[in-house]
Coordinates of all heavy atoms in Angstrom, one line a residue:
L1 N 112.7 97.7 102.4 CA 111.8 97.9 103.5 C 110.4 97.3 103.2 O 109.6 97.2 104.1 CB 111.6 99.3 103.9 CG 112.8 100.1 104.4 CD1 112.5 101.6 104.6 CD2 113.3 99.5 105.7
L2 N 110.2 96.8 102.0 CA 108.8 96.4 101.6 C 108.3 95.3 102.5 O 107.2 95.3 103.0 CB 108.8 96.0 100.2 CG 107.4 95.4 99.7 CD1 106.3 96.5 99.8 CD2 107.5 94.9 98.3
S3 N 109.1 94.3 102.8 CA 108.6 93.1 103.6 C 108.3 93.6 105.0 O 107.3 93.1 105.6 CB 109.6 92.0 103.6 OG 110.9 92.4 104.0
E4 N 109.1 94.5 105.6 CA 108.8 95.0 106.9 C 107.5 95.8 106.9 O 106.7 95.7 107.9 CB 110.0 95.9 107.4 CG 111.2 95.1 107.7 CD 112.2 95.0 106.5 OE1 111.8 95.2 105.4 OE2 113.3 94.5 106.7
V5 N 107.3 96.6 105.9 CA 106.1 97.4 105.8 C 104.9 96.5 105.7 O 103.9 96.7 106.4 CB 106.2 98.5 104.7 CG1 104.8 99.2 104.5 CG2 107.2 99.5 104.9
M6 N 104.9 95.5 104.8 CA 103.8 94.6 104.7 C 103.5 93.9 106.0 O 102.4 93.7 106.4 CB 104.0 93.7 103.5 CG 104.0 94.3 102.2 SD 103.9 93.2 100.7 CE 105.3 92.2 100.9
A7 N 104.6 93.5 106.7 CA 104.4 92.7 107.9 C 103.9 93.6 109.0 O 103.3 93.1 110.0 CB 105.8 92.1 108.4
S8 N 104.0 94.9 108.9 CA 103.6 95.8 110.0 C 102.0 96.0 110.0 O 101.5 96.5 111.0 CB 104.2 97.2 109.8 OG 103.5 97.9 108.7
G9 N 101.4 95.5 109.0 CA 99.9 95.6 108.9 C 99.5 96.9 108.1 O 98.3 97.2 108.1
A10 N 100.4 97.6 107.6 CA 100.1 98.8 106.8 C 99.2 98.4 105.6 O 99.3 97.3 105.1 CB 101.3 99.5 106.3
D11 N 98.4 99.3 105.1 CA 97.5 99.1 104.0 C 98.2 99.5 102.7 O 97.9 99.0 101.6 CB 96.3 100.0 104.1 CG 95.4 99.5 105.2 OD1 95.2 98.3 105.4 OD2 94.9 100.4 105.9
A12 N 99.2 100.4 102.8 CA 99.9 100.8 101.5 C 101.3 101.3 101.9 O 101.6 101.6 103.1 CB 99.2 101.9 100.9
F13 N 102.2 101.4 100.9 CA 103.5 101.9 101.1 C 103.8 102.9 100.0 O 103.7 102.5 98.8 CB 104.6 100.8 101.1 CG 106.0 101.2 101.3 CD1 106.3 102.2 102.1 CD2 107.0 100.4 100.8 CE1 107.6 102.6 102.4 CE2 108.3 100.7 101.0 CZ 108.7 101.8 101.8
V14 N 104.0 104.2 100.3 CA 104.3 105.2 99.3 C 105.8 105.5 99.5 O 106.3 105.8 100.6 CB 103.5 106.5 99.6 CG1 103.9 107.6 98.6 CG2 102.0 106.2 99.5
T15 N 106.6 105.4 98.4 CA 108.0 105.5 98.4 C 108.5 106.3 97.2 O 107.8 106.5 96.2 CB 108.7 104.2 98.5 OG1 110.1 104.3 98.7 CG2 108.4 103.3 97.3
G16 N 109.8 106.7 97.3 CA 110.4 107.5 96.2 C 111.1 106.6 95.2 O 111.4 107.0 94.1
E17 N 111.4 105.3 95.6 CA 112.1 104.5 94.7 C 111.9 103.0 95.1 O 111.8 102.7 96.3 CB 113.6 104.8 94.8 CG 114.5 104.0 93.8 CD 115.9 104.5 93.9 OE1 116.2 105.7 94.1 OE2 116.8 103.6 93.8
V18 N 111.7 102.2 94.1 CA 111.4 100.8 94.4 C 111.9 99.9 93.2 O 111.9 100.3 92.1 CB 109.9 100.5 94.6 CG1 109.1 100.8 93.4 CG2 109.6 99.2 95.3
K19 N 112.4 98.7 93.6 CA 112.8 97.8 92.5 C 111.6 97.1 91.9 O 110.6 96.9 92.5 CB 113.7 96.7 93.2 CG 115.0 97.2 93.7 CD 115.8 96.1 94.4 CE 117.1 96.7 95.0 NZ 117.8 95.6 95.7
H20 N 111.8 96.7 90.6 CA 110.8 96.0 89.9 C 110.3 94.8 90.6 O 109.1 94.5 90.7 CB 111.2 95.7 88.5 CG 110.2 95.1 87.6 ND1 110.1 93.7 87.5 CD2 109.1 95.6 87.0 CE1 109.1 93.4 86.7 NE2 108.5 94.5 86.4
S21 N 111.2 94.0 91.2 CA 110.9 92.8 91.9 C 110.0 93.1 93.1 O 109.2 92.2 93.4 CB 112.2 92.0 92.3 OG 113.0 92.9 93.2
D22 N 110.2 94.3 93.7 CA 109.3 94.6 94.8 C 107.9 94.9 94.4 O 106.9 94.6 95.1 CB 109.9 95.8 95.6 CG 111.1 95.4 96.5 OD1 111.2 94.2 96.8 OD2 111.9 96.3 96.8
F23 N 107.8 95.5 93.2 CA 106.4 95.8 92.6 C 105.7 94.4 92.4 O 104.5 94.3 92.7 CB 106.5 96.5 91.3 CG 106.5 98.0 91.4 CD1 107.5 98.8 90.9 CD2 105.4 98.7 91.9 CE1 107.5 100.1 91.0 CE2 105.3 100.0 92.0 CZ 106.4 100.8 91.6
I24 N 106.4 93.5 91.9 CA 105.9 92.1 91.6 C 105.5 91.5 92.9 O 104.4 90.9 93.1 CB 106.9 91.2 90.8 CG1 107.2 91.9 89.5 CG2 106.3 89.8 90.7 CD1 106.1 92.1 88.6
A25 N 106.3 91.5 93.9 CA 106.0 90.9 95.2 C 104.8 91.6 95.9 O 104.0 90.9 96.4 CB 107.3 91.1 96.2
A26 N 104.7 92.9 95.8 CA 103.6 93.6 96.4 C 102.3 93.2 95.6 O 101.3 93.0 96.2 CB 103.8 95.1 96.3
K27 N 102.4 93.2 94.3 CA 101.2 92.8 93.5 C 100.7 91.4 93.9 O 99.6 91.1 94.1 CB 101.5 92.9 92.0 CG 100.3 92.5 91.1 CD 100.7 92.6 89.7 CE 99.6 92.4 88.7 NZ 99.1 91.1 88.6
N28 N 101.7 90.4 94.0 CA 101.3 89.1 94.3 C 100.8 88.9 95.7 O 100.0 88.0 96.0 CB 102.6 88.2 94.2 CG 103.0 88.0 92.7 OD1 102.2 88.2 91.8 ND2 104.2 87.6 92.5
A29 N 101.1 89.8 96.6 CA 100.6 89.8 98.0 C 99.3 90.6 98.1 O 98.7 90.7 99.2 CB 101.7 90.4 98.9
G30 N 98.9 91.3 97.0 CA 97.7 92.1 97.1 C 97.9 93.4 97.9 O 97.0 93.9 98.5
F31 N 99.1 93.9 97.9 CA 99.5 95.0 98.7 C 99.7 96.2 97.8 O 100.3 96.1 96.7 CB 100.9 94.7 99.5 CG 101.3 95.8 100.4 CD1 100.7 95.9 101.6 CD2 102.3 96.7 100.1 CE1 101.0 96.9 102.5 CE2 102.7 97.7 101.0 CZ 102.0 97.8 102.2
T32 N 99.3 97.4 98.3 CA 99.4 98.6 97.5 C 100.7 99.3 97.7 O 101.1 99.6 98.8 CB 98.3 99.6 97.9 OG1 97.0 99.0 97.8 CG2 98.4 100.9 97.1
L33 N 101.5 99.4 96.6 CA 102.8 100.0 96.6 C 102.8 101.2 95.5 O 102.4 101.0 94.4 CB 103.8 98.9 96.2 CG 105.3 99.4 96.0 CD1 105.8 100.0 97.3 CD2 106.1 98.2 95.6
V34 N 103.2 102.4 96.0 CA 103.2 103.5 95.1 C 104.6 104.1 95.1 O 105.2 104.4 96.1 CB 102.2 104.6 95.7 CG1 102.2 105.8 94.8 CG2 100.8 104.0 95.8
E35 N 105.1 104.3 93.9 CA 106.4 105.0 93.7 C 106.1 106.4 93.1 O 105.6 106.5 92.0 CB 107.3 104.2 92.7 CG 108.6 104.9 92.5 CD 109.5 104.1 91.6 OE1 109.0 103.3 90.8 OE2 110.7 104.3 91.7
C36 N 106.5 107.4 93.9 CA 106.2 108.8 93.5 C 107.4 109.5 92.9 O 107.2 110.6 92.4 CB 105.8 109.6 94.8 SG 104.3 109.0 95.5
G37 N 108.5 109.0 92.9 CA 109.7 109.7 92.5 C 110.6 110.1 93.7 O 110.0 110.6 94.7
H38 N 111.8 109.9 93.6 CA 112.7 110.1 94.8 C 112.7 111.5 95.4 O 112.3 111.6 96.5 CB 114.1 109.7 94.4 CG 115.0 109.2 95.5 ND1 114.8 108.1 96.2 CD2 116.0 109.8 96.1 CE1 115.7 107.9 97.1 NE2 116.4 109.0 97.1
F39 N 113.0 112.5 94.7 CA 113.1 113.8 95.2 C 111.7 114.3 95.6 O 111.5 114.9 96.7 CB 113.7 114.8 94.2 CG 113.8 116.2 94.7 CD1 114.8 116.6 95.6 CD2 112.9 117.1 94.3 CE1 114.8 117.9 96.0 CE2 112.9 118.4 94.7 CZ 113.9 118.8 95.6
E40 N 110.8 114.1 94.7 CA 109.4 114.7 94.9 C 108.8 114.1 96.2 O 108.0 114.8 96.8 CB 108.5 114.4 93.7 CG 108.9 115.1 92.4 CD 110.1 114.3 91.7 OE1 110.6 113.3 92.2 OE2 110.4 114.8 90.6
S41 N 109.0 112.9 96.5 CA 108.4 112.3 97.6 C 109.1 112.5 99.0 O 108.5 112.2 100.0 CB 108.2 110.8 97.4 OG 109.4 110.1 97.4
E42 N 110.3 112.9 98.9 CA 111.0 113.1 100.2 C 111.2 114.5 100.7 O 110.6 114.8 101.7 CB 112.4 112.4 100.0 CG 112.4 110.9 99.9 CD 113.7 110.3 99.8 OE1 114.7 111.1 99.8 OE2 113.8 109.1 99.6
N43 N 111.9 115.3 100.0 CA 112.3 116.6 100.5 C 111.2 117.6 100.5 O 111.2 118.5 101.4 CB 113.5 117.2 99.7 CG 114.7 116.3 99.8 OD1 114.9 115.7 100.9 ND2 115.4 116.1 98.7
I44 N 110.2 117.5 99.7 CA 109.2 118.5 99.6 C 107.9 118.2 100.2 O 107.3 118.9 101.0 CB 109.0 118.9 98.1 CG1 110.3 119.5 97.5 CG2 107.8 119.9 97.9 CD1 110.2 119.8 96.1
I45 N 107.4 117.0 99.9 CA 106.0 116.7 100.2 C 105.7 115.9 101.5 O 104.7 116.0 102.1 CB 105.3 116.0 99.0 CG1 103.8 116.0 99.1 CG2 105.8 114.5 98.9 CD1 103.2 117.3 99.1
V46 N 106.7 115.2 102.0 CA 106.4 114.3 103.1 C 106.0 115.0 104.4 O 104.9 114.7 104.9 CB 107.6 113.3 103.4 CG1 107.4 112.6 104.7 CG2 107.8 112.4 102.2
P47 N 106.7 116.0 104.8 CA 106.2 116.7 106.1 C 104.8 117.3 106.0 O 104.0 117.1 106.8 CB 107.3 117.8 106.4 CG 108.6 117.2 105.7 CD 108.0 116.5 104.5
P48 N 104.5 118.1 104.9 CA 103.2 118.7 104.9 C 102.1 117.6 104.6 O 101.0 117.7 105.1 CB 103.2 119.7 103.7 CG 104.5 119.4 103.0 CD 105.4 118.7 103.9
L49 N 102.4 116.6 103.8 CA 101.5 115.5 103.6 C 101.2 114.8 104.9 O 100.0 114.5 105.2 CB 102.0 114.6 102.5 CG 101.1 113.4 102.2 CD1 99.7 113.8 101.8 CD2 101.8 112.4 101.2
C50 N 102.2 114.5 105.7 CA 102.0 113.8 106.9 C 101.1 114.6 107.9 O 100.2 114.1 108.5 CB 103.3 113.5 107.6 SG 103.2 112.3 108.9
N51 N 101.4 115.9 107.9 CA 100.5 116.8 108.8 C 99.1 116.9 108.3 O 98.2 116.9 109.1 CB 101.1 118.2 108.8 CG 102.4 118.3 109.6 OD1 102.6 117.5 110.5 ND2 103.3 119.2 109.2
L52 N 98.9 116.9 107.0 CA 97.5 117.0 106.4 C 96.8 115.7 106.8 O 95.6 115.7 107.2 CB 97.6 117.1 104.9 CG 96.3 117.0 104.2 CD1 95.3 118.2 104.5 CD2 96.5 116.9 102.7
L53 N 97.5 114.5 106.6 CA 96.8 113.3 106.9 C 96.5 113.1 108.3 O 95.4 112.6 108.7 CB 97.7 112.1 106.4 CG 97.9 112.0 104.9 CD1 99.0 110.9 104.6 CD2 96.6 111.6 104.3
K54 N 97.4 113.6 109.2 CA 97.1 113.5 110.7 C 95.9 114.4 111.0 O 95.0 114.0 111.8 CB 98.3 114.0 111.5 CG 99.4 113.1 111.5 CD 100.6 113.7 112.2 CE 101.8 112.8 112.2 NZ 103.0 113.3 112.9
R55 N 95.8 115.5 110.4 CA 94.6 116.5 110.6 C 93.3 115.9 110.1 O 92.3 116.0 110.7 CB 95.0 117.8 110.1 CG 93.9 118.9 110.4 CD 94.3 120.3 109.9 NE 94.4 120.4 108.5 CZ 95.5 120.5 107.7 NH1 96.6 120.7 108.3 NH2 95.4 120.6 106.4
E56 N 93.4 115.4 108.9 CA 92.2 115.0 108.2 C 91.7 113.6 108.6 O 90.5 113.3 108.5 CB 92.4 115.0 106.7 CG 92.6 116.4 106.1 CD 91.4 117.3 106.3 OE1 90.2 116.8 106.1 OE2 91.6 118.5 106.6
L57 N 92.6 112.8 109.1 CA 92.3 111.4 109.5 C 92.8 111.1 110.9 O 93.7 110.3 111.1 CB 92.9 110.4 108.5 CG 92.4 110.6 107.0 CD1 93.3 109.8 106.1 CD2 91.0 110.2 106.9
P58 N 92.3 111.8 111.9 CA 92.8 111.6 113.2 C 92.7 110.2 113.8 O 93.4 109.9 114.8 CB 92.0 112.6 114.1 CG 90.8 112.8 113.3 CD 91.1 112.7 111.9
Q59 N 91.8 109.4 113.3 CA 91.7 108.1 113.8 C 92.8 107.1 113.3 O 92.9 106.0 113.8 CB 90.3 107.5 113.4 CG 90.1 107.2 112.0 CD 89.7 108.3 111.1 OE1 90.0 109.5 111.4 NE2 89.2 108.0 109.9
I60 N 93.6 107.6 112.4 CA 94.7 106.7 111.9 C 96.0 107.3 112.3 O 96.2 108.5 112.3 CB 94.7 106.7 110.3 CG1 93.3 106.1 109.8 CG2 95.8 105.9 109.8 CD1 93.1 106.2 108.4
E61 N 96.9 106.4 112.7 CA 98.3 106.9 113.2 C 99.2 107.0 112.0 O 99.3 106.0 111.2 CB 98.8 105.9 114.2 CG 100.2 106.3 114.7 CD 100.8 105.3 115.6 OE1 100.0 104.5 116.2 OE2 102.0 105.2 115.7
F62 N 99.8 108.1 111.8 CA 100.8 108.3 110.7 C 102.1 108.6 111.3 O 102.2 109.4 112.3 CB 100.4 109.5 109.8 CG 99.1 109.3 109.0 CD1 97.9 109.7 109.5 CD2 99.2 108.6 107.8 CE1 96.8 109.4 108.8 CE2 98.1 108.4 107.1 CZ 96.8 108.8 107.6
T63 N 103.2 108.0 110.8 CA 104.5 108.2 111.3 C 105.4 108.7 110.1 O 105.4 108.0 109.1 CB 105.1 106.9 111.8 OG1 104.3 106.5 112.9 CG2 106.5 107.2 112.4
E64 N 106.0 109.8 110.3 CA 106.9 110.4 109.2 C 108.2 109.7 109.3 O 108.9 109.7 110.3 CB 107.1 111.9 109.4 CG 107.8 112.5 108.3 CD 107.9 114.0 108.5 OE1 107.0 114.6 109.1 OE2 108.9 114.6 108.0
Y65 N 108.6 109.1 108.2 CA 109.9 108.4 108.1 C 111.1 109.4 108.1 O 111.0 110.4 107.5 CB 110.0 107.6 106.7 CG 111.3 107.1 106.4 CD1 111.8 105.9 107.0 CD2 112.2 107.8 105.6 CE1 113.0 105.4 106.7 CE2 113.5 107.3 105.3 CZ 113.9 106.1 105.9 OH 115.1 105.6 105.6
T66 N 112.1 109.0 108.8 CA 113.3 109.8 108.8 C 114.5 108.9 108.6 O 114.5 107.7 109.0 CB 113.5 110.6 110.2 OG1 113.6 109.7 111.2 CG2 112.4 111.6 110.4
Q67 N 115.6 109.4 108.1 CA 116.8 108.6 107.8 C 117.3 108.0 109.1 O 117.8 106.9 109.1 CB 117.9 109.5 107.2 CG 119.1 108.7 106.8 CD 118.8 107.7 105.7 OE1 117.9 107.9 104.8 NE2 119.6 106.7 105.6
S68 N 117.2 108.7 110.2 CA 117.7 108.2 111.5 C 116.9 107.0 112.0 O 117.3 106.3 112.9 CB 117.6 109.3 112.6 OG 116.3 109.7 112.8
A69 N 115.8 106.6 111.4 CA 115.0 105.5 111.7 C 115.6 104.2 111.2 O 115.3 103.1 111.7 CB 113.6 105.6 111.2
I70 N 116.6 104.3 110.3 CA 117.3 103.1 109.8 C 118.5 102.8 110.6 O 119.3 103.6 111.0 CB 117.7 103.3 108.3 CG1 116.5 103.6 107.4 CG2 118.5 102.2 107.8 CD1 116.9 103.9 106.0
S71 N 118.7 101.5 110.9 CA 119.9 101.1 111.6 C 120.7 100.2 110.6 O 120.1 99.4 109.9 CB 119.6 100.3 112.8 OG 118.9 99.1 112.5
Y72 N 122.0 100.5 110.4 CA 122.8 99.8 109.5 C 123.7 98.8 110.2 O 124.1 99.0 111.3 CB 123.7 100.8 108.8 CG 123.0 101.7 107.9 CD1 122.6 103.0 108.3 CD2 122.6 101.4 106.6 CE1 121.8 103.8 107.5 CE2 121.9 102.2 105.8 CZ 121.5 103.5 106.3 OH 120.8 104.3 105.5
I73 N 123.9 97.6 109.6 CA 124.7 96.6 110.2 C 126.1 96.7 109.7 O 126.3 96.9 108.5 CB 124.1 95.2 110.0 CG1 122.7 95.1 110.6 CG2 125.0 94.1 110.4 CD1 122.0 93.8 110.3

């Protein structure tokens, strides 16, 4: 998803898992990419973190990622 996120105009991408080649691509593009750990970043922290960010930064739109947002070919 990295190329889609960068193309969306986002300032950063926080994820639970990323390939080394994506870290290199993000670095070369000057894009902020953060890998937090798979379990830690998904099941526990995403919903409360998204709510906190929405509350603290109302001028910014936050969208919580869900598995149903992916379409498979």
Side-chain angles (χ1 to χ4, degrees):
L1 296 175
L2 178 61
S3 55
E4 290 88 348
V5 172
M6 290 193 303
S8 76
D11 295 316
F13 184 31
V14 179
T15 184
E17 187 172 322
V18 69
K19 294 179 183 177
H20 183 262
S21 59
D22 287 337
F23 271 119
I24 300 302
K27 181 180 188 285
N28 290 340
F31 185 77
T32 301
L33 177 60
V34 179
E35 180 180 23
C36 298
H38 205 69
F39 179 80
E40 294 83 354
S41 66
E42 291 180 0
N43 297 323
I44 295 174
I45 196 63
V46 172
L49 177 59
C50 193
N51 289 333
L52 173 69
L53 291 170
K54 287 177 182 179
R55 186 175 65 247
E56 295 296 320
L57 302 167
Q59 71 277 21
I60 300 174
E61 180 182 337
F62 293 93
T63 303
E64 186 177 331
Y65 169 83
T66 61
Q67 185 66 27
S68 63
I70 297 178
S71 60
Y72 294 94
I73 297 174

